[in-house]
Amino acid sequence: MLLRPRQKLFVERSLAALSTRGNTLGVAPTGAGKTIMLSAVTGNMTGDGARACVLAHRDELTSQNRAKFARVNPGTDTSVVDATTKSWEGQVTFAMAPTLARAANLAAMPKLDLLVIDEAHHAVAESYRRIIDRVRDANPEARIFGVTATPNRGDKKGLREVFDNVADQVRLGELIASGHLVPPRTFVIDVGVQDELRSVRKTMSDYDMTEVAEIMDRAPVTDEVIRHWQEKAGDRQTVVFCSTVAHAEHVTDAFREASVPAALITGTLEAGARKGILDAYAAGRLRVIVNVAVLTEGWDHPPTSCVVLLRPSSYKSTMIQMVGRGLRTVDPAEHPGIVKTDCIVLDFGTSSLTHGTLEQDVDLDGHTPSGEAPTKTCPACAADIPLGSRECPLCGELLVEPEDEAHSQEAGTGSLSGFVMSEIDLLKRSSFAWEDLFGDDAALMASGFNAWGGVFFLEGRWHAVGGAKGQATCLLGVGDRTVCLARADDWLNAHESDESAFKSKRWLTQPPTEKQLQYLSPEQQQDYGLTRYRASALITFQFNRRDIRRLVMSAAPERRAA
């Protein structure tokens, strides 16, 4: 399979760092494809017969990492060390850290050339340190490579004792601009408690949530939460983060009293009951799911398009994890009929004002900025808002004029701006050439030897469609053009190789074949600029036109009845 352009750059930078400095960290948020990048780095480092181990802290991550590694490196033998299997026979072994850290398992570990740590913010834990020390004792020249989405730990413990440099950091804004995540639309809603929240005592891990609950867990506050949610996001699946279990129970009851299907998940909930609630939410039988720090990480339901923050977070990483639950794009094959173009964040606390943006800078020494982020005053409502805001999160006032927006895109400034320029960049940087089929910018197609992808505009929405040898044509995405382009390009990357992409691009300079001309209309045959590649795109569209139309129309059944 092919990597996205940004993934390739991440891999190249990581390999360069590992070649000169042995302990390297890569930072990539949810949606970047960090397991794919991790696998590519590992495959490159073990291409000469070197041995590697990939660590994860949960069984399901171990199996997921192994499966994705096989897609990227199909010719490499792998094995597993977990609670039930302890095999080092593969060139690359996937291990669960708690199991490997036991003395008997460490003693059986062979000499390694590379240790890869997924969720690398765990690397300073005692169990991980035992593994790292054992690897270094056996081979002082061994390389350590870690990948994480949250490099700044809540306990402020730095990662420098394991990693001495950061090879690359994929930022959230890049993934939003490239269409691999949806943009957040944040509303900071003051229900008269912000001043009280600013005075809450901080503990070692976060704010004192008992004090937070004394402020937030009041009927008038909860009533305002429900009212604002109904006004701004009442038709969206929503995850709510509360301060304490009692607070969460009261919020859940309030949603139910407003006739909103809602359920509560707590850390003490029995596994079967928890699964039942999550299944009901995934099936759409629940509109709202309420929790207390249970769904902060390790859980995703892409149709979730609203995040409600009913608690502040003293650490930016916690806020990023909570908001991140709503930023994933939707696969229409998994969630038919659901169109998602953004995520509404309703912040009833102070997190957005404290931290400013969802971007984070990495400090291996564990130093994090203190105090509130810089602010500016909204000219419409006079509220203090984050300095980087382009739209007032309180009143919705647009703070950048259209001409200024265009200028900032050209200049590449702004934390989450430049979407249009990034889309154009995506087309240029793609491993495949994208053809405008009819000259109206409403239908674009690209193809390789084994697959093709296209994006098509109909009645205000873009639709991504893909086909491959031996597979039925399928709907890949619905919504914004950028998201659909990303979906279609990723489809091609998954089904083609570097070699096939290179060969198909050579067709851009070759004339169409006589056989191709037989399938084209007289008007198309008279196009003297026609290339073999464009002819292939036109013919592919012609052969798949009926399936494309069926899939595009099925994405919005109400249009068929109109």
Side-chain angles (χ1 to χ4, degrees):
M1 66 178 294
L2 278 162
L3 274 66
R4 305 173 195 156
R6 187 60 182 91
Q7 290 174 332
K8 289 180 182 178
L9 183 60
F10 182 96
V11 171
E12 290 168 1
R13 288 175 173 172
S14 299
L15 290 171
L18 285 166
S19 68
T20 56
R21 305 172 72 180
N23 309 311
T24 292
L25 179 70
V27 180
T30 299
K34 66 182 178 67
T35 307
I36 297 296
M37 297 186 292
L38 172 157
S39 298
V41 171
T42 306
N44 273 275
M45 293 288 291
T46 55
D48 57 356
R51 301 195 67 174
C53 175
V54 179
L55 281 183
H57 67 289
R58 296 202 309 266
D59 271 336
E60 58 266 31
L61 291 179
T62 299
S63 58
Q64 288 173 21
N65 288 349
R66 189 184 186 194
K68 290 186 179 180
F69 180 89
R71 290 180 57 202
V72 180
N73 308 283
T76 303
D77 293 331
T78 64
S79 56
V80 173
V81 172
D82 59 17
T84 57
T85 305
K86 296 172 180 61
S87 170
W88 290 95
E89 294 180 0
Q91 188 178 348
V92 177
T93 298
F94 292 82
M96 192 173 76
T99 300
L100 182 56
R102 295 170 189 156
N105 295 330
L106 282 178
M109 183 170 64
K111 177 182 175 181
L112 297 175
D113 302 285
L114 173 67
L115 177 66
V116 180
I117 306 174
D118 191 10
E119 307 293 352
H121 51 281
H122 294 295
V124 294
E126 182 181 349
S127 58
Y128 281 76
R129 289 310 309 269
R130 289 200 297 272
I131 298 170
I132 293 168
D133 291 344
R134 170 70 175 82
V135 170
R136 285 174 169 163
D137 287 344
N139 180 12
E141 298 301 315
R143 299 301 200 230
I144 311 293
F145 177 57
V147 179
T148 181
T150 53
N152 301 324
R153 291 168 55 96
D155 59 6
K156 295 188 178 181
K157 193 170 185 179
L159 303 182
R160 191 173 293 282
E161 59 186 74
V162 176
F163 305 103
D164 53 30
N165 74 101
V166 177
D168 193 12
Q169 179 180 8
V170 180
R171 293 191 173 270
L172 202 64
E174 296 181 65
L175 298 180
I176 293 170
S178 66
H180 293 98
L181 293 176
V182 300
R185 292 178 56 214
T186 302
F187 296 87
V188 181
I189 302 168
D190 185 3
V191 288
V193 298
Q194 284 189 358
D195 288 341
E196 290 182 81
L197 288 173
R198 288 189 176 95
S199 64
V200 171
R201 179 176 62 92
K202 286 185 180 180
T203 66
M204 285 293 292
S205 58
D206 209 328
Y207 290 109
D208 185 324
M209 289 300 158
T210 301
E211 287 189 31
V212 171
E214 291 175 357
I215 298 168
M216 297 295 294
D217 191 9
R218 304 171 184 169
V221 172
T222 302
D223 289 344
E224 282 296 286
V225 168
I226 302 300
R227 183 178 69 82
H228 280 282
W229 176 82
Q230 289 174 326
E231 288 180 356
K232 298 177 175 64
D235 61 341
R236 295 175 179 237
Q237 279 201 292
T238 300
V239 59
V240 182
F241 292 93
C242 293
S243 54
T244 65
V245 172
H247 181 204
E249 289 173 345
H250 297 153
V251 170
T252 306
D253 290 342
F255 273 109
R256 290 171 175 167
E257 288 170 6
S259 300
V260 178
L264 169 63
I265 284 187
T266 67
T268 59
L269 195 65
E270 187 268 332
R274 174 176 171 168
K275 183 178 184 301
I277 292 173
L278 292 176
D279 287 348
Y281 183 74
R285 295 193 298 274
L286 293 173
R287 178 66 55 82
V288 175
I289 190 165
V290 184
N291 79 109
V292 181
V294 177
L295 303 178
T296 306
E297 63 177 348
W299 170 80
D300 281 295
H301 176 60
T304 299
S305 57
C306 177
V307 177
V308 178
L309 306 180
L310 299 184
R311 46 149 296 184
S313 53
S314 60
Y315 297 110
K316 179 180 278 194
S317 59
T318 304
M319 181 184 76
I320 292 171
Q321 287 173 332
M322 291 190 293
V323 174
R325 299 312 100 202
L327 299 185
R328 282 194 179 273
T329 59
V330 171
D331 183 345
E334 296 180 11
H335 307 285
I338 295 176
V339 178
K340 179 179 175 182
T341 58
D342 59 24
C343 174
I344 289 179
V345 180
L346 303 181
D347 186 355
F348 291 87
T350 57
S351 296
S352 298
L353 293 176
T354 299
H355 302 300
T357 74
L358 293 175
E359 301 289 14
Q360 59 180 331
D361 294 321
V362 183
D363 190 320
L364 292 176
D365 296 312
H367 300 149
T368 55
S370 59
E372 291 200 352
T375 62
K376 61 185 178 185
T377 301
C378 172
C381 67
D384 289 333
I385 61 177
L387 186 63
S389 298
R390 310 182 73 78
E391 175 184 346
C392 177
L394 281 79
C395 71
E397 175 76 5
L398 183 65
L399 304 178
V400 181
E401 295 298 324
E403 58 267 25
D404 293 333
E405 177 75 13
H407 174 73
S408 67
Q409 289 172 356
E410 292 172 5
T413 60
S415 59
L416 294 181
S417 65
F419 297 154
V420 174
M421 294 302 291
S422 294
E423 176 188 303
I424 295 171
D425 192 42
L426 170 67
L427 292 178
K428 289 182 177 178
R429 293 170 61 193
S430 171
S431 299
F432 305 89
W434 288 82
E435 288 286 342
D436 181 355
L437 294 180
F438 309 113
D440 57 1
D441 202 37
L444 302 175
M445 284 194 72
S447 62
F449 285 94
N450 302 308
W452 58 268
V455 292
F456 308 94
F457 186 75
L458 177 65
E459 296 179 15
R461 286 180 184 167
W462 284 90
H463 306 75
V465 181
K469 288 182 178 177
Q471 296 189 39
T473 305
C474 57
L475 186 67
L476 306 174
V478 182
D480 287 345
R481 173 177 157 128
T482 305
V483 170
C484 288
L485 278 169
R487 285 274 180 179
D489 200 59
D490 286 351
W491 169 266
L492 283 164
N493 290 339
H495 290 85
E496 298 287 349
S497 65
D498 284 297
E499 182 181 5
S500 63
F502 175 75
K503 286 182 177 178
S504 65
K505 270 198 168 181
R506 288 193 306 188
W507 290 2
L508 291 168
T509 59
Q510 298 175 357
T513 65
E514 289 298 324
K515 187 172 183 180
Q516 284 180 319
L517 291 173
Q518 294 175 11
Y519 291 103
L520 298 176
S521 68
E523 182 181 357
Q524 291 168 337
Q525 293 177 15
Q526 296 302 314
D527 179 1
Y528 294 106
L530 185 65
T531 64
R532 186 176 178 184
Y533 187 92
R534 178 169 175 77
S536 175
L538 290 167
I539 294 169
T540 299
F541 175 78
Q542 181 177 314
F543 285 172
N544 294 280
R545 185 181 208 138
R546 181 174 298 176
D547 282 342
I548 292 171
R549 179 175 177 79
R550 173 180 56 81
L551 290 167
V552 169
M553 296 303 292
S554 70
E558 71 276 5
R559 286 204 293 260
R560 290 183 298 177

